[in-house]
Amino acid sequence: MIPEAKAFDAALDQAVAETFEAMAFLEVRREAGAAPAAGRQECRWAAVTIETPFRAELLLACCQDLLGEIAQCLHGERAAAEPDAIMSDIVAEMINVIAGRAAGLTAPSGMAVAVSLPRRGRGWPEGLRAEDTVIYALDDGRCFAVVRRLHPV
């Protein structure tokens, strides 16, 4: 059973806002328009598949300066010592939390949620469709993207 797209988008907005607030003390908002071209090459991304109770793919792409700020918040001095590994772990953990929360908010009551292990990469992911991409922004103008694709089971 696939959730209605509007219901899933509302759950996704809530999951993104809660995750960024809880993990990084950052307030975010959904932004209209396309992802900014600047800084795409300095991005990290991670993607997961929601496998139960419905099938959906979610991908989070963040610029490295934003991930660096989150890493500093979560790991303090260790973030400077191992920035590559920590940034990769952070984007993977954030998309995992976002996916679990969004799926949980839209799943029928009592139904289990299963999410795949994250896949990771650097740079701006190729082949993203504008209609699948949701841009979120912080008050200082930095943006990140969440891509969602719902699939019939």
Side-chain angles (χ1 to χ4, degrees):
M1 175 168 131
I2 192 166
E4 180 186 328
K6 285 184 181 182
F8 187 76
D9 278 355
L12 183 62
D13 287 348
Q14 182 178 341
V16 168
E18 288 174 357
T19 301
F20 273 78
E21 175 69 30
M23 292 181 77
F25 308 105
L26 294 171
E27 290 186 27
V28 302
R29 67 183 180 286
R30 184 184 275 248
E31 192 81 356
R40 286 185 175 186
Q41 65 280 7
E42 295 102 29
C43 285
R44 302 289 180 109
W45 62 266
V48 295
T49 301
I50 299 171
E51 298 171 343
T52 306
F54 52 86
R55 251 182 107 69
E57 295 173 64
L58 290 179
L59 178 143
L60 172 63
C62 287
C63 60
Q64 288 188 183
D65 72 317
L66 177 56
L67 287 172
E69 181 180 325
I70 296 169
Q72 190 65 36
C73 182
L74 292 172
H75 298 286
E77 294 301 314
R78 184 172 160 246
E82 306 173 56
D84 222 39
I86 288 176
M87 281 192 235
S88 181
D89 287 347
I90 287 171
V91 73
E93 181 60 21
M94 291 185 91
I95 195 59
N96 200 37
V97 171
I98 290 167
R101 180 73 177 132
L105 287 168
T106 54
S109 182
M111 187 170 268
V113 170
V115 177
S116 72
L117 293 173
R119 301 170 304 283
R120 308 165 195 212
R122 294 180 105 152
W124 193 256
E126 295 296 322
L128 300 183
R129 298 181 332 176
E131 63 269 20
D132 294 332
T133 305
V134 181
I135 304 300
Y136 294 90
L138 291 90
D139 287 337
D140 63 8
R142 289 181 292 175
C143 298
F144 61 94
V146 175
V147 178
R148 79 276 187 252
R149 291 187 188 112
L150 297 170
H151 301 287
V153 178

